[in-house]
Amino acid sequence: MKELPETKEVMAIFDAHSIDAKKTHKLRIFAEVEDHILWHGILKEKFDARLLIATGVDEMDSFVVHYHYNIQAKPRDLVVTLKKRVSRINPTLKSLTPIDNSANFSERETSDYFGIEFEGHIQPEIMFLPDELKGEFPLRKDYKTGGQKCQLLSR
Amino acid sequence: MSVVIPIGPFHPALHEPSFFKVHVEGEKIVHTDIRLGYNHRGLEKICEARTIEQAIIVIERVCGICSQAHTTAYCGAVEDIAGIDIPERAAYIRSIFCEIERIHSHLLCMGTMFHTLGYEYLFMECWKLREITMDILEDLGGNRVHYSSNTIGGVRKDIDNKTSDRILSDIESLLNPVKEWLDIIKHDSTVYERLKGVGYLSIKEIKQFGAVGAFAKGGGIPIDARFSDQYAAYGFHDFKPVVESVNGKGGDCYSRAVFRSKECLQSIDLTKTFLDNLPDGDLVTKYDSIPAGESMGRTEAPRGEDVHYVRTNGGPLLDRIRIRVPTYTNLQTLPTALKGNLIGDVPVILVTMDPCFSCTER
């Protein structure tokens, strides 16, 4: 896939801050950052980026919260992802919601599933899970789902 | 003093379960609380116990209407991780499925909109036309809703010349009725006055909450992953997203209804273009294994931009999938769209947004 000038521009900014950003086959950019609020500001200001989603990933040793952005370009828009590592022992992270309202639902959902507390979230309520599951975080890798393992039928 | 009126979890105005606590002063809405989770099935967790290929079957069942959009996004993300480029014929077939699905979804939504307005004749007309698209989909994929067409590296269902000719003539027959109802929305005062100025959202509000789909495109912002992400065969032809707005400053129910009808016409046009230019070639690119990695897949589902984050660990099982559907961000915007309107207008605003709670809660 042909590299766009905007891709080079985004990569140059990450390089200037000595951040190791990775490109995929379709040129999606993934970069691990220290201060996601600062980088949110940079992407908004320089590229008028639009927040797509916030996602949580359990990497066993720590959690990683991803913020995915869309950056307008011609002929194809870019997708840039900021990754912020969160400790497993005390999973707290500064919320983006006071700055950007579009992070509201996805941060609440990440909090539901992984037990990550978003400090300063404007509406820290349960999103999808029933009230009985309070204190249980089903998308953590060590969560026991119970039930019986399904047997795959051989043809 | 405000009074709280509960709408849901099960309510005649809602076609799926969800709960809105509407705070009203007199008949005017001042605030809305949304409680979700009545349709939550934990599909993301289920996928973590499935292989990368098996997950397609689960992901297809996220939604009954936009199942092709979901699998296209998922397969796109996995193909990105593995570095697979799909054959051109497969890309075209994916797009054809996506477009017919879009026409089907828009006909369904317009039908329910007319039903909500009390215009029962057009409701039945729309749903009668919808049967034509469902028959086409059954012809193509073997099923009316879950077509099982997509696979990693391409598609499994081919389109022969005979089917292609039939689709072309059937799609053509939709053109005039859609134009007719667009005319009714524009000129019939019973429809026009019920929609005009209701559920208004300014461009600033749309951007603030990250709304997509009808809220964005029906409000003057051209967010359309088909043309901005150029997945499947959308990069091969020059089309521009349909945008409708109120004086270029925002959108109301009327502009959203007009937008949806116009997008339906565009989809008919796109289907014809794809069928006419369908190239020869393979259906699937073969691959050995999927390496560890992560990527994003994007498609334009009928209701707006659909985003899939996929992470693999080099093994056969899927490590993590996160699905963000268009209704998810549109629901964040909904309280703003409802504010200041009358309680009787809630169903109309909801239906022009075209929510899908089954998608949202997964």
Side-chain angles (χ1 to χ4, degrees):
Chain A
M1 208 167 254
K2 214 176 131 197
E3 197 164 286
L4 305 169
E6 284 85 354
T7 319
K8 284 181 189 152
E9 216 176 307
V10 175
M11 291 301 278
I13 291 174
F14 283 127
D15 272 350
H17 289 78
S18 49
I19 287 168
D20 181 26
K22 288 188 180 71
K23 279 184 291 187
T24 65
H25 180 65
K26 284 185 189 162
L27 302 174
R28 315 284 202 212
I29 301 169
F30 287 83
E32 194 167 328
V33 295
E34 275 302 313
D35 190 345
H36 62 290
I37 308 265
L38 174 82
W39 277 98
H40 174 86
I42 293 174
L43 291 182
K44 275 263 171 203
E45 196 186 311
K46 289 218 160 119
F47 302 101
D48 192 23
R50 174 167 62 89
L51 182 68
L52 295 171
I53 38 167
T55 326
V57 175
D58 187 359
E59 287 194 359
M60 294 308 277
D61 53 339
S62 61
F63 296 124
V64 183
V65 175
H66 292 207
Y67 290 97
H68 305 275
Y69 294 87
N70 176 74
I71 291 176
Q72 275 192 355
K74 286 263 180 239
R76 217 175 45 249
D77 283 10
L78 311 182
V79 177
V80 179
T81 304
L82 301 179
K83 292 162 64 165
K84 167 77 183 152
R85 210 159 275 277
V86 185
S87 133
R88 221 186 146 90
I89 302 153
N90 180 26
T92 51
L93 183 67
K94 259 193 187 166
S95 171
L96 261 189
T97 328
I99 317 164
D100 193 333
N101 262 320
S102 52
N104 182 354
F105 275 18
S106 32
E107 281 190 345
R108 271 168 67 188
E109 191 185 327
T110 310
S111 178
D112 258 21
Y113 292 157
F114 293 94
I116 299 167
E117 195 192 323
F118 287 90
E119 286 171 344
H121 195 289
I122 51 169
Q123 200 184 357
E125 294 164 14
I126 291 181
M127 183 80 188
F128 293 134
L129 292 184
D131 294 338
E132 303 91 84
L133 275 184
K134 212 171 186 180
E136 294 188 39
F137 310 112
L139 277 184
R140 286 187 179 184
K141 292 280 181 203
D142 52 6
Y143 181 75
K144 297 268 183 296
T145 41
Q148 282 179 328
K149 204 166 186 185
C150 176
Q151 292 276 314
L152 287 175
L153 294 170
S154 57
R155 282 186 192 172
Chain B
M1 202 192 88
S2 68
V3 177
V4 181
I5 298 182
I7 298 184
F10 303 99
H11 191 274
L14 301 168
H15 301 282
E16 280 177 279
S18 58
F19 185 31
F20 300 96
K21 256 193 221 170
V22 186
H23 300 246
V24 290
E25 274 174 11
E27 280 204 49
K28 218 173 182 185
I29 300 167
V30 286
H31 178 66
T32 314
D33 289 323
I34 304 171
R35 176 77 171 96
L36 299 166
Y38 299 95
N39 243 336
H40 178 64
R41 290 157 289 160
L43 292 185
E44 286 173 6
K45 185 74 184 171
I46 292 172
C47 284
E48 286 181 11
R50 298 289 181 280
T51 63
I52 295 164
E53 288 84 4
Q54 281 173 339
I56 299 174
I57 299 160
V58 181
I59 287 156
E60 193 156 44
R61 276 142 187 86
V62 166
C63 182
I65 298 166
C66 45
S67 57
Q68 178 74 11
H70 284 297
T71 47
T72 307
Y74 171 72
C75 291
V78 177
E79 282 151 12
D80 185 16
I81 293 170
I84 304 166
D85 287 315
I86 63 167
E88 214 169 284
R89 187 174 176 86
Y92 270 82
I93 292 174
R94 273 187 190 178
S95 300
I96 291 165
F97 268 99
C98 282
E99 285 314 310
I100 298 172
E101 187 181 72
R102 194 180 321 279
I103 302 168
H104 154 223
S105 172
H106 284 349
L107 288 168
L108 178 102
C109 172
M110 293 309 283
T112 36
M113 189 194 84
F114 287 123
H115 173 61
T116 314
L117 298 177
Y119 210 129
E120 299 297 332
Y121 164 69
L122 268 184
F123 156 61
M124 287 176 192
E125 251 329 272
C126 285
W127 280 40
K128 190 180 90 189
L129 295 176
R130 177 176 161 256
E131 278 306 307
I132 297 173
T133 58
M134 297 206 84
D135 285 345
I136 296 174
L137 287 167
E138 194 180 354
D139 255 18
L140 286 175
N143 283 322
R144 281 160 66 89
V145 279
H146 300 304
Y147 332 111
S148 314
S149 156
N150 278 340
T151 182
I152 290 155
V155 291
R156 300 195 301 174
K157 309 272 164 84
D158 200 3
I159 302 176
D160 56 29
N161 287 342
K162 206 177 146 199
T163 323
S164 169
D165 291 342
R166 213 207 109 186
I167 299 168
L168 278 172
S169 68
D170 280 359
I171 286 284
E172 192 72 40
S173 71
L174 297 175
L175 207 59
N176 281 336
V178 175
K179 280 183 184 161
E180 212 170 278
W181 97 49
L182 180 59
D183 212 39
I184 289 174
I185 296 171
K186 281 184 173 170
H187 299 113
D188 191 332
S189 61
T190 49
V191 179
Y192 176 85
E193 282 176 22
R194 188 83 165 74
L195 298 172
K196 196 75 192 160
V198 177
Y200 181 78
L201 277 171
S202 68
I203 284 191
K204 194 183 157 211
E205 284 162 345
I206 296 166
K207 283 190 174 169
Q208 185 188 354
F209 295 100
V212 293
F215 270 172
K217 285 186 276 184
I221 306 173
I223 297 174
D224 196 320
R226 286 179 291 173
F227 313 108
S228 67
D229 209 66
Q230 301 191 336
Y231 62 92
Y234 292 105
F236 300 139
H237 299 279
D238 195 22
F239 275 87
K240 291 207 162 42
V242 176
V243 177
E244 191 67 37
S245 65
V246 183
N247 306 325
K249 287 176 186 161
D252 56 6
C253 286
Y254 172 75
S255 68
R256 292 196 275 275
V258 173
F259 147 76
R260 194 159 278 125
S261 320
K262 283 188 178 170
E263 201 177 64
C264 213
L265 293 173
Q266 190 196 37
S267 287
I268 294 171
D269 216 12
L270 271 166
T271 315
K272 283 198 278 191
T273 312
F274 289 141
L275 280 169
D276 287 340
N277 295 294
L278 192 64
D280 291 327
D282 292 335
L283 290 182
V284 188
T285 306
K286 289 204 170 107
Y287 63 95
D288 294 329
S289 62
I290 310 286
E294 55 189 348
S295 183
M296 299 284 292
R298 270 206 297 184
T299 51
E300 186 74 11
R303 296 179 171 85
E305 186 191 46
D306 182 21
V307 183
H308 284 225
Y309 165 77
V310 178
R311 185 186 151 95
T312 54
N313 53 13
L317 296 183
L318 197 61
D319 198 48
R320 169 92 171 104
I321 175 155
R322 167 75 159 87
I323 304 163
R324 196 229 61 192
V325 300
T327 312
Y328 196 80
T329 49
N330 286 352
L331 273 179
Q332 293 179 149
T333 326
L334 188 68
T336 319
L338 290 175
K339 201 174 175 181
N341 288 284
L342 303 178
I343 183 81
D345 287 333
V346 174
V348 182
I349 298 168
L350 261 175
V351 84
T352 52
M353 173 189 135
D354 195 9
C356 178
F357 296 102
S358 161
C359 274
T360 313
E361 301 176 6
R362 309 174 299 280

